[in-house]
Amino acid sequence: MGIYSKYVFPRLMNLGMSGEEIGKYRQEMLSFAEGEILEIGFGTGLNLPYYPKEVKKIHTIDVNAGMNPLASKNIEKSGIRVDYHIMDAENLAFPDSTFDTVVSTWTLCSIKNVDQCLAEIYRVLKPDGRFIFVEHGLSNEYHVQKWQHRVNPIQKVLAEGCHLNRNIEDLIRGAGFRFERLTKQYAQGAPKILSYLYYGMVGK
C-alpha cells in the first residue's frame, strides 16, 4: 500500500464525505438498519452517528488498512461495538445467510469486481434481510454522462478506483435483488458529474 493510499486518501475522504448534506442521506437510509448488521466499505466510520440507537454492534469490512486510525477515533466516540475486518468485499469470510442488514454507502463505485461483491452480499444476507445503499453513479442526463465518461479515468486514479459512471440500479438489479425502495437524484452542493445518487433498499 502506497503513501497516498495509506495516509493521504483516508484524510481526504474523511473530510470530503463529512458534510451535512451527505449526512441527511446517511440518516434517512440507516434508520432501517436492524438485527445482525454488516457494513462494507466502513472507511473512517462516518456512518456510526446515524445508526438507530437500538444498534449496539455491527460487523464492518474495509480493504484499506490506512482508514483504521481515523476509524478508531470515530468508534471510540460512538456507543456501538464494531467488529472490524480488513477484507475485500468480493470475498466475504462469513457464512451464507448471516446478516439481517448489509449496508453500503459510497462504496460500490470503488470495488473492482462489483458484480462479485453484489453476489457476495446476496449470499451473506438472510432470506428476509435487506441491503441498504447510498451510492453515486451514472447520471440520467446524457450531457452529464458524457463528462462522467471523460473524467472517469482521472477520477479512478485520484479517488482510489472510484468510478463516476456506474449504473448502480442496473448492477443491483442484475445481482437478483428485489427493489423495495429506490430514489435517484442529484445531491446539492456538488458538481453533477459527482453527485447523482442512487439510494434505497432491496431484498432477495
Side-chain angles (χ1 to χ4, degrees):
M1 182 182 295
I3 292 174
Y4 179 79
S5 297
K6 187 173 182 179
Y7 299 108
V8 179
F9 180 70
R11 284 157 180 80
L12 291 176
M13 192 277 295
N14 189 67
L15 179 64
M17 299 303 292
S18 298
E20 182 179 345
E21 181 67 21
I22 289 175
K24 294 177 183 178
Y25 301 105
R26 297 184 194 274
Q27 185 171 33
E28 179 179 350
M29 295 314 304
L30 289 171
S31 66
F32 297 100
E34 61 183 2
E36 289 289 316
I37 298 169
L38 170 66
E39 182 177 330
I40 68 166
F42 182 64
T44 61
L46 293 175
N47 281 334
L48 287 172
Y50 300 100
Y51 279 101
K53 63 181 180 180
E54 294 80 14
V55 173
K56 303 300 182 186
K57 176 185 175 182
I58 61 173
H59 298 264
T60 69
I61 69 162
D62 202 286
V63 72
N64 186 345
M67 299 286 183
N68 192 45
L70 290 173
S72 296
K73 294 179 181 179
N74 286 326
I75 291 169
E76 287 177 9
K77 289 188 292 186
S78 78
I80 298 175
R81 176 185 167 191
V82 176
D83 192 353
Y84 185 83
H85 306 269
I86 301 298
M87 185 188 304
D88 69 71
E90 296 101 322
N91 298 282
L92 298 175
F94 303 104
D96 295 356
S97 303
T98 298
F99 297 101
D100 300 284
T101 306
V102 178
V103 171
S104 170
T105 60
W106 290 277
T107 296
L108 297 181
C109 59
S110 301
I111 294 172
K112 186 175 182 180
N113 190 341
V114 67
D115 290 327
Q116 177 62 26
C117 165
L118 288 166
E120 281 290 272
I121 291 172
Y122 192 97
R123 179 184 66 79
V124 302
L125 200 63
K126 292 180 180 179
D128 59 349
R130 284 172 165 169
F131 173 37
I132 296 170
F133 59 91
V134 183
E135 301 287 348
H136 75 100
L138 188 68
S139 170
N140 64 342
E141 296 182 86
Y142 178 67
H143 71 281
V144 178
Q145 291 178 6
K146 288 194 299 182
W147 279 103
Q148 287 179 312
H149 295 314
R150 288 170 182 165
V151 176
N152 198 60
I154 300 171
Q155 173 74 3
K156 287 194 294 182
V157 173
L158 295 177
E160 295 288 283
C162 173
H163 291 70
L164 297 173
N165 58 355
R166 285 182 170 172
N167 188 316
I168 302 300
E169 178 183 2
D170 286 355
L171 288 168
I172 293 175
R173 197 180 300 279
F177 287 102
R178 172 181 52 82
F179 278 86
E180 298 180 11
R181 172 176 175 170
L182 175 64
T183 302
K184 297 183 287 185
Q185 66 181 57
Y186 290 106
Q188 296 181 1
K192 283 189 171 183
I193 62 170
L194 300 172
S195 63
Y196 192 72
L197 297 183
Y198 300 71
Y199 58 99
M201 69 180 78
V202 293
K204 288 187 170 182

